[in-house]
Amino acid sequence: DAGVIQSPRHEVTEMGQEVTLRCKPISGHDYLFWYRQTMMRGLELLIYFNNNVPIDDSGMPEDRFSAKMPNASFSTLKIQPSEPRDSAVYFCASSLSDTGYTFGSGTRLTVV
Amino acid sequence: SQKIEQNSEALNIQEGKTATLTCNYTNYSPAYLQWYRQDPGRGPVFLLLIRENEKEKRKERLKVTFDTTLKQSLFHITASQPADSATYLCALGAQTGANNLFFGTGTRLTVIP
């Protein structure tokens, strides 16, 4: 397996634009997580899915953020409109229940 | 809400010595605790999982302890090598019924040759 695949690796966008981050989890994993990492706040859980169903989105900062998982092999995190304070590294991870997570390489987002 | 503290932002240690990293938590009773390694520009990599009813777990040169009374986990790397230099993150597993992790901010370990 190629692991968790995220795209793009880097994204630079202007404030106010829509940004879509993509994730392909490991086949067979039934949990998918979106995290955001900054120097100030570390790794923060944004939302997670179990069997494609959103379970907890309490970490989503505000209505500008949305996430979908239309099937077991694909998830998106969308920010609309983007703001400079959204600049961070966004990680997707997948796992089986009660096991370690496998993280993707992350998407470094810069909003100017 | 839960609070996770890792003992220091940075730890320097001489090659061959044992590195000990500390993770303390409050306001939480995790079902399990995990440790991850993160290298610059990469995602965290899972190392070990220890459950609340386990006192100690080992994997090669790594050892993790979990004291639910002290609300503390210790992470040891024996015979440390320069290749062990990285940031190490502890993460609390949610209580029964959920599967999300809450991460500490990490300790950056440097092993000096």
Side-chain angles (χ1 to χ4, degrees):
Chain A
D1 202 324
V4 175
I5 299 172
Q6 290 187 247
S7 65
R9 275 291 265 143
H10 302 275
E11 176 81 36
V12 180
T13 191
E14 290 185 347
M15 183 173 64
Q17 296 298 306
E18 177 179 293
V19 175
T20 299
L21 311 181
R22 296 172 176 79
C23 175
K24 177 179 167 56
I26 289 177
S27 176
H29 281 188
D30 52 356
Y31 283 88
L32 183 139
F33 307 85
W34 283 100
Y35 281 84
R36 177 171 69 177
Q37 187 173 41
T38 61
M39 289 293 292
M40 290 296 296
R41 300 173 69 93
L43 268 169
E44 299 175 279
L45 177 65
L46 300 176
I47 185 171
Y48 80 96
F49 297 82
N50 178 220
N51 292 321
N52 313 339
V53 176
I55 302 300
D56 185 353
D57 65 355
S58 59
M60 297 285 260
E62 41 195 279
D63 291 346
R64 298 184 297 106
F65 286 68
S66 62
K68 293 182 180 179
M69 192 166 185
N71 56 63
S73 58
F74 184 65
S75 177
T76 59
L77 178 68
K78 188 176 293 187
I79 308 172
Q80 164 65 18
S82 57
E83 296 182 2
R85 60 191 167 124
D86 301 330
S87 297
V89 181
Y90 290 80
F91 286 104
C92 174
S94 70
S95 79
L96 296 169
S97 178
D98 280 4
T99 63
Y101 292 6
T102 302
F103 280 82
S105 297
T107 295
R108 182 174 294 278
L109 174 66
T110 303
V111 183
V112 298
Chain B
S1 63
Q2 74 287 339
K3 186 176 179 182
I4 307 166
E5 289 184 346
Q6 295 194 237
N7 57 324
S8 59
E9 284 191 13
L11 178 67
N12 296 331
I13 193 166
Q14 208 69 34
E15 181 177 4
K17 301 292 186 183
T18 296
T20 298
L21 285 63
T22 304
C23 177
N24 295 296
Y25 60 91
T26 56
N27 300 332
Y28 207 66
S29 296
Y32 53 86
L33 188 147
Q34 301 185 15
W35 283 88
Y36 288 78
R37 169 186 173 135
Q38 187 173 23
D39 292 285
R42 315 196 78 145
V45 174
F46 171 71
L47 297 175
L48 281 167
L49 181 154
I50 186 165
R51 301 188 187 280
E52 59 180 338
N53 60 348
E54 298 174 315
K55 296 293 184 186
E56 183 179 298
K57 207 81 170 278
R58 291 175 185 262
K59 179 183 175 183
E60 297 171 354
R61 294 185 295 112
L62 308 180
K63 184 178 86 170
V64 172
T65 63
F66 191 10
D67 188 325
T68 56
T69 301
L70 291 179
K71 294 187 181 294
Q72 181 182 78
S73 175
L74 299 179
F75 177 79
H76 306 274
I77 306 175
T78 58
S80 58
Q81 305 166 0
D84 296 326
S85 299
T87 296
Y88 291 86
L89 304 162
C90 77
L92 304 186
Q95 293 153 358
T96 304
N99 196 46
N100 48 312
L101 289 177
F102 299 101
F103 282 83
T105 52
T107 296
R108 187 172 66 252
L109 174 68
T110 302
V111 181
I112 303 165

